[in-house]
Every structure is written in C-alpha cells, then in structure tokens.
Amino acid sequence: VVMTGGLSPASDAGGEISPLTFLRRIYELGGGDWFEAVATHPYQYPNPPTSTEPTNAFLETVRLHDVMIDAGDGATKIWGTEVGAPTRGSRSISEAQQAQWLRQYYDAWNAWAFTGPLLWYSFRDKSAGSDVEDAYGLVRVDRTPKPAFSEFADMIRSTPKLTRAPGASERAQGAKTASGIRAISE
C-alpha cells in the first residue's frame, strides 16, 4: 500500500506545517492520485487520547478525513502508522495509564469507518533509562510485560478472526484513479 509520509502533530507556526495544511496542499498540488492511504502519527500524550483540548492530534484524524472528503477522496483510509505513550521520562504517564490509553486509542480508532490499521509504538522499551524515547514499549527492556501488554493481548483475543474472501490472494483489478495506482484486495 502506498501511503503519504506519516503526518505528525504540529502547528502552522515557527516553520512547522500542520497535518491538515500538509494534506490539503498534497491535494491542491495534484498528489491525491499518488497514494492509497494517508499515514498519520496521532500521538496525544501527555494528555489522554480523547481529551477535549483543541490541539488533540488523535481527534484531528476526523479533520484529516474532512480534508479528504473535500478533495473527493473520502473513501481512502487513514492509517495510524505510529501511536503510543511513554512510561518513563519527561511528560510520561504511568504504566497503568498506558494500558488504559491503549484501549482508548483502539476503541476510538476502530469506531471510525474511515480508518485502516493503527500501529502501536513500540513492542519493547529500548532501555531501562529515564529517556522518554526509550519507554514506549508494551514490555520492558528485560521483556517483562507492562499492563498494556495484557490489554493489547486481550484486545487481540477478543477481535473476531478475519477470513480471506474467495480470490483474495490475487491482486485487485482496476486502479484507484486514472493514475494507474493499483489497490490490493487482501
């Protein structure tokens, strides 16, 4: 699947470009025919995923979809290609909060009809140190599970098993648009 670069939380100030502005410009410049999914990194920590502040990057996913609808591309899915919450370091949350937030992220994401996969960052902590970048894992660096690991496993177990449609192993016929980009039907 060809995706846009992963859009990450930013504003339209100080040399940054917000995900909304970036995606709108892709469409304005004719780039809509060149991807099959919009990728976003809807990190929201240190605030909860569904908190109501106007800068909520996770809930901005709905506004990204609005931009896609305005561009006539509302059927294209948005993939969450990186999301998570650190459990150590500056602005981190507790391990118990990480487990709660994991469920909030997935429950909200899966309720939206316009979203594809949501990928959790990351499976394992990079180190036992105090750097926030090293503490996103579902398990600690020594591979002992954090509460979020159990929540993730429970969520996977409770998901209905997917089955392949007849002929799903073959590539789909037809293109997304006249550009010739082909979709995969698996």
Side-chain angles (χ1 to χ4, degrees):
V1 174
V2 177
M3 291 183 261
T4 64
L7 305 174
S8 61
S11 65
D12 285 323
E16 295 182 342
I17 301 172
S18 76
L20 295 169
T21 298
F22 192 87
L23 185 58
R24 198 173 291 114
R25 291 293 293 148
I26 288 173
Y27 285 116
E28 288 170 359
L29 295 171
D33 291 343
W34 298 95
F35 59 87
E36 299 165 310
V38 170
T40 186
H41 298 179
Y43 285 98
Q44 182 49 27
Y45 81 90
N47 299 310
T50 56
S51 61
T52 58
E53 74 271 354
T55 58
N56 183 319
F58 181 70
L59 296 180
E60 185 177 62
T61 304
V62 174
R63 294 194 313 263
L64 286 171
H65 187 245
D66 291 342
V67 169
M68 296 164 70
I69 290 169
D70 290 347
D73 201 20
T76 295
K77 300 287 186 184
I78 300 173
W79 288 34
T81 51
E82 189 178 307
V83 74
T87 58
R88 286 188 320 282
S90 145
R91 298 176 7 142
S92 64
I93 61 172
S94 72
E95 288 184 3
Q97 284 176 303
Q98 184 192 44
Q100 293 170 346
W101 287 18
L102 179 138
R103 181 57 88 161
Q104 289 175 17
Y105 272 119
Y106 280 94
D107 285 349
W109 190 265
N110 291 330
W112 293 324
F114 54 85
T115 54
L118 178 63
L119 308 177
W120 188 263
Y121 177 82
S122 85
F123 177 72
R124 181 175 168 223
D125 285 352
K126 292 180 184 178
S127 80
S130 62
D131 186 347
V132 70
E133 292 299 321
D134 294 341
Y136 283 85
L138 299 176
V139 301
R140 296 174 195 89
V141 71
D142 66 1
R143 292 183 168 76
T144 57
K146 296 180 187 178
F149 178 80
S150 295
E151 190 67 35
F152 193 81
D154 288 346
M155 185 178 62
I156 297 297
R157 277 192 290 273
S158 68
T159 302
K161 185 174 180 172
L162 297 176
T163 57
R164 288 188 183 265
S169 63
E170 298 174 15
R171 301 289 182 209
Q173 317 300 300
K176 173 185 169 190
T177 66
S179 70
I181 294 176
R182 301 185 65 80
I184 299 171
S185 66
E186 296 191 69

